[in-house]
mmCIF file of all heavy atoms in Angstrom:
data_model
loop_
_atom_site.group_PDB
_atom_site.id
_atom_site.type_symbol
_atom_site.label_atom_id
_atom_site.label_comp_id
_atom_site.label_asym_id
_atom_site.label_seq_id
_atom_site.Cartn_x
_atom_site.Cartn_y
_atom_site.Cartn_z
ATOM 1 N N ALA A 33 109.890 90.216 95.967
ATOM 2 C CA ALA A 33 110.010 91.446 95.220
ATOM 3 C C ALA A 33 108.805 92.323 95.536
ATOM 4 O O ALA A 33 108.352 93.129 94.594
ATOM 5 C CB ALA A 33 110.165 91.165 93.722
ATOM 6 N N SER A 34 108.305 92.277 96.694
ATOM 7 C CA SER A 34 107.177 93.201 97.009
ATOM 8 C C SER A 34 107.710 94.498 97.685
ATOM 9 O O SER A 34 106.937 95.297 98.224
ATOM 10 C CB SER A 34 106.122 92.512 97.987
ATOM 11 O OG SER A 34 106.870 92.018 99.134
ATOM 12 N N GLY A 35 109.030 94.660 97.683
ATOM 13 C CA GLY A 35 109.691 95.836 98.162
ATOM 14 C C GLY A 35 110.034 95.706 99.666
ATOM 15 O O GLY A 35 110.428 96.740 100.255
ATOM 16 N N LYS A 36 109.989 94.546 100.175
ATOM 17 C CA LYS A 36 110.180 94.406 101.658
ATOM 18 C C LYS A 36 111.563 94.876 102.071
ATOM 19 O O LYS A 36 111.678 95.579 103.068
ATOM 20 C CB LYS A 36 110.044 92.908 102.085
ATOM 21 C CG LYS A 36 108.712 92.315 101.908
ATOM 22 C CD LYS A 36 108.642 90.897 102.487
ATOM 23 C CE LYS A 36 109.685 89.951 101.889
ATOM 24 N NZ LYS A 36 109.478 89.596 100.533
ATOM 25 N N SER A 37 112.601 94.534 101.347
ATOM 26 C CA SER A 37 113.974 94.871 101.815
ATOM 27 C C SER A 37 114.240 96.405 101.865
ATOM 28 O O SER A 37 114.637 96.886 102.834
ATOM 29 C CB SER A 37 115.053 94.242 100.825
ATOM 30 O OG SER A 37 114.876 92.866 100.815
ATOM 31 N N THR A 38 113.887 97.043 100.711
ATOM 32 C CA THR A 38 114.155 98.455 100.727
ATOM 33 C C THR A 38 113.301 99.193 101.810
ATOM 34 O O THR A 38 113.824 100.011 102.612
ATOM 35 C CB THR A 38 113.720 99.081 99.321
ATOM 36 O OG1 THR A 38 114.365 98.214 98.328
ATOM 37 C CG2 THR A 38 114.280 100.496 99.143
ATOM 38 N N VAL A 39 112.041 98.792 101.873
ATOM 39 C CA VAL A 39 111.171 99.447 102.841
ATOM 40 C C VAL A 39 111.604 99.119 104.274
ATOM 41 O O VAL A 39 111.608 100.029 105.186
ATOM 42 C CB VAL A 39 109.713 99.032 102.583
ATOM 43 C CG1 VAL A 39 108.769 99.392 103.772
ATOM 44 C CG2 VAL A 39 109.231 99.550 101.248
ATOM 45 N N SER A 40 111.922 97.864 104.481
ATOM 46 C CA SER A 40 112.363 97.439 105.893
ATOM 47 C C SER A 40 113.577 98.188 106.317
ATOM 48 O O SER A 40 113.747 98.605 107.510
ATOM 49 C CB SER A 40 112.541 95.963 105.940
ATOM 50 O OG SER A 40 111.397 95.271 105.655
ATOM 51 N N ARG A 41 114.515 98.389 105.400
ATOM 52 C CA ARG A 41 115.781 99.163 105.775
ATOM 53 C C ARG A 41 115.401 100.576 106.109
ATOM 54 O O ARG A 41 115.957 101.132 107.023
ATOM 55 C CB ARG A 41 116.728 99.172 104.527
ATOM 56 C CG ARG A 41 117.527 97.915 104.390
ATOM 57 C CD ARG A 41 118.424 98.023 103.180
ATOM 58 N NE ARG A 41 119.003 96.760 102.862
ATOM 59 C CZ ARG A 41 120.048 96.214 103.438
ATOM 60 N NH1 ARG A 41 120.684 96.844 104.443
ATOM 61 N NH2 ARG A 41 120.512 95.076 103.083
ATOM 62 N N LEU A 42 114.501 101.249 105.322
ATOM 63 C CA LEU A 42 114.113 102.552 105.606
ATOM 64 C C LEU A 42 113.467 102.735 107.000
ATOM 65 O O LEU A 42 113.787 103.677 107.707
ATOM 66 C CB LEU A 42 113.177 103.082 104.489
ATOM 67 C CG LEU A 42 113.753 103.364 103.120
ATOM 68 C CD1 LEU A 42 112.686 103.631 102.104
ATOM 69 C CD2 LEU A 42 114.708 104.555 103.181
ATOM 70 N N VAL A 43 112.590 101.761 107.281
ATOM 71 C CA VAL A 43 111.870 101.770 108.555
ATOM 72 C C VAL A 43 112.873 101.574 109.712
ATOM 73 O O VAL A 43 112.790 102.293 110.712
ATOM 74 C CB VAL A 43 110.730 100.719 108.574
ATOM 75 C CG1 VAL A 43 110.096 100.593 109.945
ATOM 76 C CG2 VAL A 43 109.685 101.062 107.474
ATOM 77 N N ALA A 44 113.738 100.617 109.509
ATOM 78 C CA ALA A 44 114.735 100.294 110.537
ATOM 79 C C ALA A 44 115.646 101.547 110.798
ATOM 80 O O ALA A 44 115.939 101.881 112.002
ATOM 81 C CB ALA A 44 115.604 99.115 110.163
ATOM 82 N N LYS A 45 116.006 102.198 109.771
ATOM 83 C CA LYS A 45 116.851 103.408 109.830
ATOM 84 C C LYS A 45 116.046 104.505 110.610
ATOM 85 O O LYS A 45 116.708 105.149 111.548
ATOM 86 C CB LYS A 45 117.306 103.832 108.556
ATOM 87 C CG LYS A 45 118.505 104.766 108.550
ATOM 88 C CD LYS A 45 119.172 104.875 107.194
ATOM 89 C CE LYS A 45 120.253 105.943 107.367
ATOM 90 N NZ LYS A 45 120.421 106.689 106.145
ATOM 91 N N ALA A 46 114.888 104.714 110.266
ATOM 92 C CA ALA A 46 114.112 105.810 110.820
ATOM 93 C C ALA A 46 113.896 105.529 112.328
ATOM 94 O O ALA A 46 113.869 106.508 113.131
ATOM 95 C CB ALA A 46 112.754 105.947 110.141
ATOM 96 N N LEU A 47 113.746 104.280 112.689
ATOM 97 C CA LEU A 47 113.461 103.918 114.066
ATOM 98 C C LEU A 47 114.725 103.716 114.925
ATOM 99 O O LEU A 47 114.692 103.625 116.141
ATOM 100 C CB LEU A 47 112.573 102.686 114.204
ATOM 101 C CG LEU A 47 111.188 102.845 113.636
ATOM 102 C CD1 LEU A 47 110.481 101.470 113.636
ATOM 103 C CD2 LEU A 47 110.356 103.834 114.385
ATOM 104 N N GLY A 48 115.828 103.514 114.247
ATOM 105 C CA GLY A 48 117.068 103.187 114.894
ATOM 106 C C GLY A 48 117.160 101.752 115.342
ATOM 107 O O GLY A 48 117.785 101.393 116.383
ATOM 108 N N TYR A 49 116.394 100.885 114.649
ATOM 109 C CA TYR A 49 116.316 99.473 115.017
ATOM 110 C C TYR A 49 117.192 98.698 114.107
ATOM 111 O O TYR A 49 117.584 99.094 113.009
ATOM 112 C CB TYR A 49 114.866 98.904 114.836
ATOM 113 C CG TYR A 49 113.804 99.443 115.746
ATOM 114 C CD1 TYR A 49 114.116 100.365 116.753
ATOM 115 C CD2 TYR A 49 112.513 99.023 115.638
ATOM 116 C CE1 TYR A 49 113.130 100.868 117.597
ATOM 117 C CE2 TYR A 49 111.518 99.476 116.420
ATOM 118 C CZ TYR A 49 111.806 100.402 117.441
ATOM 119 O OH TYR A 49 110.835 100.863 118.296
ATOM 120 N N LEU A 50 117.493 97.442 114.506
ATOM 121 C CA LEU A 50 118.319 96.544 113.725
ATOM 122 C C LEU A 50 117.451 96.029 112.556
ATOM 123 O O LEU A 50 116.350 95.597 112.782
ATOM 124 C CB LEU A 50 118.850 95.433 114.644
ATOM 125 C CG LEU A 50 119.816 94.418 114.035
ATOM 126 C CD1 LEU A 50 121.200 95.128 113.722
ATOM 127 C CD2 LEU A 50 120.088 93.232 114.920
ATOM 128 N N TYR A 51 118.051 95.941 111.321
ATOM 129 C CA TYR A 51 117.338 95.392 110.212
ATOM 130 C C TYR A 51 117.765 93.960 110.065
ATOM 131 O O TYR A 51 118.909 93.620 110.022
ATOM 132 C CB TYR A 51 117.677 96.185 108.942
ATOM 133 C CG TYR A 51 117.404 95.461 107.672
ATOM 134 C CD1 TYR A 51 116.002 95.247 107.326
ATOM 135 C CD2 TYR A 51 118.343 94.963 106.807
ATOM 136 C CE1 TYR A 51 115.759 94.534 106.131
ATOM 137 C CE2 TYR A 51 118.073 94.338 105.686
ATOM 138 C CZ TYR A 51 116.772 94.096 105.312
ATOM 139 O OH TYR A 51 116.468 93.401 104.163
ATOM 140 N N VAL A 52 116.709 93.063 109.902
ATOM 141 C CA VAL A 52 117.018 91.649 109.681
ATOM 142 C C VAL A 52 116.210 91.133 108.481
ATOM 143 O O VAL A 52 115.041 91.193 108.415
ATOM 144 C CB VAL A 52 116.598 90.781 110.920
ATOM 145 C CG1 VAL A 52 117.063 89.340 110.761
ATOM 146 C CG2 VAL A 52 117.206 91.331 112.276
ATOM 147 N N ASP A 53 116.969 90.542 107.569
ATOM 148 C CA ASP A 53 116.463 89.959 106.381
ATOM 149 C C ASP A 53 116.366 88.421 106.611
ATOM 150 O O ASP A 53 117.417 87.794 106.404
ATOM 151 C CB ASP A 53 117.357 90.271 105.166
ATOM 152 C CG ASP A 53 116.916 89.665 103.847
ATOM 153 O OD1 ASP A 53 116.011 88.915 103.858
ATOM 154 O OD2 ASP A 53 117.633 89.932 102.844
#
Side-chain angles (χ1 to χ4, degrees):
S34 56
K36 297 187 302 291
S37 301
T38 313
V39 169
S40 300
R41 279 180 193 280
L42 287 170
V43 172
K45 198 164 174 214
L47 296 173
Y49 292 0
L50 188 66
Y51 163 67
V52 186
D53 176 359

